[in-house]
Amino acid sequence: MKMFFSSGTNGIYGEGKARISLTIGFCILCFLFVQPNLWSKSLTAPQWFQEGQDAQRAADWYGAVECYQEALRVNDAYGDAWYALAECSYALNEYSLALNYLESAAKFAKDKVEILNLTGFCYLGLNRIQEAQNLFNQVLASYPNNIEARFGLAQLDILAGRLTGAETRYIDALKRQQSNRNALLAVALVSQEMGKTEEAQNYIQQALRYHSKDEEVQYIAGWISFLNQDYSDTEYRVRTSINLNPDFDKSYELLATVLYQQGRFQEAVDICDYRINRNREASTAWYLKGCSLKMMGRMQEAYSVLEKGLEIVPQDEMMRSALEQIVLDTFDVEDARRSKWAQYHIAKARNHEKQYEAPQAEFEYKQALRLNPLDVSARTSYANMLDRKGQQELYLEQLNFISSIQPVSVKVADTIEAYKSLLSDNLASRWDVDPFYLDKKRWNIGLYPYGTPPQLLHADASIVTVRAIENYFLGTANVDAHAYTETVTYSQAFRHARNANQDYFVLLEYQETERELLLKGTVFSGRNGLEVDSFNIYRTGNDRFAGALRYMCNSIAQMLPTRGLIIDRNADTVLVDLGSTDGITKDMVLTVVKAGQLRTPDNTLGLEYAQNDILGTITLTEVSESVSQGRYSRAGFFDRMNIKDEVIIVPAPVASEATDDSQEEKAQTETPQVVASVTSGEQTQLFQKRLTPTAEEITGSEYPVLSRMLQDIYVIE
């Protein structure tokens, strides 16, 4: 028994020991697989910091942040690690967080001038302009030769539109250090923006001479070649940059874009696929891949790619606009996919309604109905907006359309009958005119994407924009807008506009960064090509493309004077095709001009005509939404007025000249201005509208792309 007991105990003990050993071994394996980084706890803070520096040099900001945080866990008084964390946060556009890290860095490295400079650049990123300027000036007061502070002040010059001042500061920095990488790249970019192509090439060649092994220098050299449309050199430079650093995504992005510009669409698709495999959220890769497939005529594939891109990056407005244009161009009205994309605009419109933003809501409802005209929900909401605005005729028109495409409820049917009864004796009914069939197109406007084609984030963005503006004007009464879908020079646009008898043509320039958008429009006379007006629209934040688009459309519409036609007459009582929706009111006086004799002035917005082409005036006695009735008074002895003669609003008297600063300031802030003046000879000038800047126009940098690239240069050294 004793032996048995001893033997059994040893057996049980041996078996238990083996099980314990297996369990421990299994736990160790799990520990190794689940927490591999814990074995590196033995690294010192300087070793963690060095790993972070290696990651930062490779632009692996997230890996660098992890290493610096590990260094700080070992030594939370490590000032260099705090500063490096701030650099990484700045590179990720987290300026407020970078400021917090800089405060900690300052506690342990108080005399480090780099902390002050980076703090100034963070202020720039947060648009705290005055604080940034004060800080850079403070640095220069103590360190007169500090190049980084001079860069900061040059950046402030660029934000203020002072390119010459920025160029001077960069050149001054080069005098102190002729091989300085940042100064050479910055002055090359600024010179290129100023149109000094030869000087830009000289500076970039100097940068290449001193820093040919730097991937960022090769990339900037490629970008400058891209701006000059030297696509072969661009491709060479970005491929060199990629060879120097295979993880440098910006070079892949530019390479795909230059391949697209050369018509090498399949190669562009391949590069985009490579970028997407590395980063599924690379929105520019999804966008450019979709555009490339579209250019190859593979519309369904292009649609699928853009659809997938929007699922991953739904906030990319340019990608959404490009997809919607494919939907409008290729899908039948009954296609169910139209409803999917209309829902996005319906949701935005309803959010605007909740915020009591009626113009924005109306804009979005119109966008939804262009995508899906059969959407009863959107049309009903839009109709209700018209009813609230007092536009009962248009409200009834929308209800009639709804009843024509589907059976309506008893309530809606009763509403239709009630409004028909209410409007049965309106002005249009008495004259037997159906406002729905009135052709009120009075202005022929051309929209042209202008200048060189390079757009890094969204290729052909200016073309997508002019198409979006054209689609907007399809739903307006008085403007016939035509978008040109190729990038043009001024002479090409002028030739096309004159041959197409366009009243005005607008050259549109589009610039954007990840956070900003700048849309420039320059208006020219289609008759003689002279510039008559311009407007710049700068937007940032969410929905910036939609906001800029809406403001651009309104700017174009508001610059055009109201003009109409006489559509019927009964003795001295006449009917014109202008109503309250056109800005017409009772007792307003209209001038009647012989048909075909109104023309645009030579160098301003408006209308002009010869004095002997005036046929008389009409004093309006009754105004409805679409038409108006008035009493005609002829000019001269004979009644020469005919149906189809034109009418314009008699302008208000010319205001007296300002006598003090307050009057002048008031005159400059009124928009639009309507004035009248008499020119030499028999020409009378009407409605010279001058579009003055509003809060939605330029409030940020006039050079957002340049400013963004200079910020990136400061980050990557």
Side-chain angles (χ1 to χ4, degrees):
M1 289 292 294
K2 183 177 180 181
M3 179 178 269
F4 177 75
F5 179 79
S6 298
S7 175
T9 302
N10 289 338
I12 294 171
Y13 176 78
E15 183 180 355
K17 185 176 181 180
R19 288 177 178 173
I20 292 171
S21 298
L22 287 172
T23 302
I24 293 172
F26 179 77
C27 291
I28 291 172
L29 287 174
C30 290
F31 184 79
L32 287 173
F33 281 107
V34 176
Q35 295 288 347
N37 289 332
L38 293 180
W39 285 100
S40 59
K41 274 188 173 180
S42 58
L43 291 181
T44 64
Q47 288 173 324
W48 275 119
F49 178 79
Q50 188 56 51
E51 288 197 10
Q53 292 282 281
D54 294 339
Q56 188 172 341
R57 277 190 288 270
D60 178 10
W61 311 114
Y62 303 102
V65 166
E66 181 182 14
C67 292
Y68 295 139
Q69 287 177 341
E70 289 294 335
L72 290 169
R73 287 192 181 95
V74 178
N75 178 10
D76 63 358
Y78 201 159
D80 288 343
W82 284 114
Y83 176 76
L85 267 179
E87 287 185 309
C88 293
S89 298
Y90 179 89
L92 294 170
N93 299 324
E94 297 293 339
Y95 305 120
S96 296
L97 181 60
L99 286 175
N100 292 334
Y101 289 141
L102 288 168
E103 287 182 12
S104 298
K107 295 177 183 177
F108 308 107
K110 294 183 179 180
D111 297 328
K112 193 171 183 179
V113 70
E114 290 85 352
I115 295 175
L116 295 176
N117 282 327
L118 185 54
T119 300
F121 279 98
C122 288
Y123 286 152
L124 280 177
L126 294 170
N127 204 33
R128 293 160 62 176
I129 303 300
Q130 191 59 53
E131 292 173 89
Q133 184 172 1
N134 293 341
L135 197 54
F136 291 134
N137 285 327
Q138 175 188 333
V139 171
L140 287 176
S142 302
Y143 307 92
N145 294 320
N146 187 273
I147 291 177
E148 300 300 316
R150 293 181 181 276
F151 287 168
L153 291 175
Q155 185 80 346
L156 286 167
D157 284 335
I158 290 170
L159 288 173
R162 299 189 295 265
L163 290 184
T164 302
E167 181 188 37
T168 301
R169 291 186 188 277
Y170 289 133
I171 293 174
D172 189 48
L174 281 176
K175 291 177 182 177
R176 289 166 168 76
Q177 190 178 347
Q178 65 177 5
S179 64
N180 185 279
R181 166 193 177 278
N182 288 3
L184 287 168
L185 295 180
V187 74
L189 286 169
V190 171
S191 296
Q192 180 66 38
E193 186 72 40
M194 296 173 70
K196 299 180 178 180
T197 306
E198 186 175 346
E199 289 89 337
Q201 287 296 329
N202 290 337
Y203 286 121
I204 199 64
Q205 289 302 321
Q206 288 184 52
L208 288 168
R209 188 180 311 122
Y210 291 117
H211 310 282
S212 61
K213 300 300 182 182
D214 188 313
E215 68 272 14
E216 179 83 358
V217 173
Q218 294 287 350
Y219 169 79
I220 297 296
W223 171 253
I224 290 176
S225 295
F226 186 58
L227 293 176
N228 293 319
Q229 299 187 56
D230 185 352
Y231 296 143
S232 60
D233 187 67
T234 302
E235 184 176 355
Y236 171 76
R237 293 299 174 192
V238 293
R239 289 190 184 277
T240 302
S241 176
I242 289 169
N243 288 334
L244 291 170
N245 182 1
D247 295 324
F248 197 49
D249 184 66
K250 290 200 301 183
S251 289
Y252 290 105
E253 184 179 49
L254 182 53
L255 176 60
T257 303
V258 75
L259 292 172
Y260 177 86
Q261 293 295 342
Q262 296 179 89
R264 295 156 63 181
F265 301 119
Q266 186 56 55
E267 293 178 69
V269 168
D270 294 339
I271 298 296
C272 290
D273 283 336
Y274 178 76
R275 293 187 64 218
I276 290 168
N277 289 333
R278 289 162 57 97
N279 178 14
R280 296 284 289 174
E281 295 186 0
S283 62
T284 55
W286 288 104
Y287 172 84
L288 190 62
K289 181 179 179 181
C291 290
S292 299
L293 291 168
K294 179 182 177 181
M295 295 299 291
M296 289 189 284
R298 294 153 63 176
M299 292 296 185
Q300 290 299 326
E301 292 179 74
Y303 170 81
S304 298
V305 167
L306 294 175
E307 179 184 37
K308 184 65 176 177
L310 283 172
E311 289 177 5
I312 297 171
V313 194
Q315 67 273 18
D316 193 318
E317 295 179 275
M318 186 60 67
M319 191 179 340
R320 186 177 298 278
S321 186
L323 181 143
E324 289 175 356
Q325 288 171 18
I326 291 177
V327 171
L328 291 169
D329 293 341
T330 61
F331 292 0
D332 294 334
V333 174
E334 296 82 6
D335 195 306
R337 288 173 291 185
R338 282 179 171 261
S339 177
K340 173 182 178 180
W341 302 107
Q343 289 303 314
Y344 169 82
H345 293 286
I346 294 171
K348 283 185 66 177
R350 288 175 178 162
N351 285 333
H352 284 306
E353 283 190 292
K354 291 178 182 177
Q355 301 297 322
Y356 303 102
E357 298 169 341
Q360 293 92 324
E362 184 174 352
F363 180 85
E364 294 298 338
Y365 278 130
K366 287 181 177 179
Q367 293 283 76
L369 290 173
R370 273 188 284 275
L371 284 167
N372 187 18
L374 305 180
D375 193 307
V376 173
S377 174
R379 194 166 291 279
T380 301
S381 297
Y382 176 58
N384 291 335
M385 287 194 68
L386 296 174
D387 189 31
R388 289 194 294 271
K389 290 168 65 177
Q391 297 177 357
Q392 298 172 344
E393 294 177 12
L394 295 176
Y395 174 59
L396 178 59
E397 182 182 300
Q398 296 296 322
L399 294 185
N400 283 332
F401 183 84
I402 292 171
S403 66
S404 70
I405 60 177
Q406 73 170 35
V408 295
S409 66
V410 174
K411 180 180 179 180
V412 174
D414 289 344
T415 302
I416 292 174
E417 290 302 317
Y419 273 85
K420 282 183 177 179
S421 175
L422 179 67
L423 300 173
S424 60
D425 192 39
N426 69 351
L427 196 56
S429 299
R430 295 201 302 272
W431 285 85
D432 194 24
V433 171
D434 189 343
F436 182 76
Y437 293 104
L438 289 176
D439 182 9
K440 293 190 173 188
K441 298 293 184 183
R442 300 289 180 267
W443 295 98
N444 187 359
I445 305 296
L447 306 166
Y448 298 85
Y450 172 67
T452 55
Q455 288 292 338
L456 185 56
L457 297 184
H458 295 101
D460 292 339
S462 55
I463 295 174
V464 175
T465 302
V466 296
R467 282 290 315 277
I469 296 173
E470 178 189 51
N471 288 333
Y472 171 83
F473 280 114
L474 290 175
T476 61
N478 66 331
V479 178
D480 191 11
H482 301 273
Y484 198 76
T485 55
E486 293 182 10
T487 305
V488 297
T489 62
Y490 164 81
S491 61
Q492 291 171 327
F494 179 29
R495 182 183 300 110
H496 189 274
R498 185 173 172 86
N499 292 338
N501 293 319
Q502 292 173 349
D503 298 298
Y504 296 104
F505 64 96
V506 184
L507 297 183
L508 288 161
E509 300 175 73
Y510 184 95
Q511 294 187 44
E512 65 174 339
T513 67
E514 295 88 347
R515 292 174 175 267
E516 300 169 290
L517 179 153
L518 177 60
L519 191 58
K520 296 183 178 182
T522 308
V523 186
F524 299 87
S525 168
R527 182 167 51 82
N528 56 32
L530 294 178
E531 181 179 340
V532 296
D533 213 330
S534 63
F535 31 82
N536 298 338
I537 303 167
Y538 171 88
R539 299 302 289 262
T540 187
N542 297 325
D543 295 333
R544 54 186 174 273
F545 180 69
L549 191 67
R550 183 175 62 251
Y551 185 75
M552 177 65 74
C553 293
N554 290 337
S555 297
I556 294 172
Q558 290 173 8
M559 76 182 188
L560 303 171
T562 302
R563 58 193 293 192
L565 294 179
I566 294 173
I567 56 177
D568 206 349
R569 71 175 293 183
N570 182 6
D572 287 339
T573 303
V574 297
L575 187 72
V576 298
D577 65 350
L578 298 174
S580 59
T581 56
D582 304 298
I584 300 300
T585 59
K586 186 180 177 182
D587 298 326
M588 187 175 280
V589 179
L590 307 179
T591 298
V592 183
V593 181
K594 188 185 299 183
Q597 299 308 305
L598 286 175
R599 55 179 268 172
T600 57
D602 286 338
N603 57 1
T604 187
L605 293 167
L607 290 167
E608 66 179 14
Y609 54 87
Q611 190 72 30
N612 58 9
D613 288 325
I614 298 176
L615 304 178
T617 60
I618 299 172
T619 302
L620 298 178
T621 57
E622 187 174 351
V623 177
S624 69
E625 293 175 30
S626 302
V627 294
S628 300
Q629 174 182 290
R631 185 178 63 259
Y632 172 62
S633 299
R634 62 180 179 269
F637 181 77
F638 297 103
D639 184 352
R640 299 182 294 157
M641 185 189 71
N642 295 315
I643 293 175
K644 301 299 182 182
D645 282 331
E646 297 189 77
V647 295
I648 52 179
I649 303 172
V650 172
V654 179
S656 59
E657 294 184 3
T659 57
D660 55 43
D661 294 339
S662 61
Q663 287 179 309
E664 183 175 359
E665 182 180 354
K666 181 180 179 182
Q668 290 177 348
T669 57
E670 291 174 352
T671 181
Q673 283 192 340
V674 182
V675 300
S677 62
V678 179
T679 60
S680 60
E682 295 184 339
Q683 297 296 321
T684 301
Q685 193 86 0
L686 287 180
F687 299 114
Q688 295 178 324
K689 289 190 176 183
R690 179 171 59 83
L691 298 177
T692 56
T694 71
E696 296 203 24
E697 291 196 64
I698 285 290
T699 55
S701 174
E702 295 186 43
Y703 308 97
V705 175
L706 173 63
S707 182
R708 178 71 257 179
M709 295 195 78
L710 292 173
Q711 283 181 305
D712 288 345
I713 289 172
Y714 179 77
V715 172
I716 305 173
E717 294 193 60

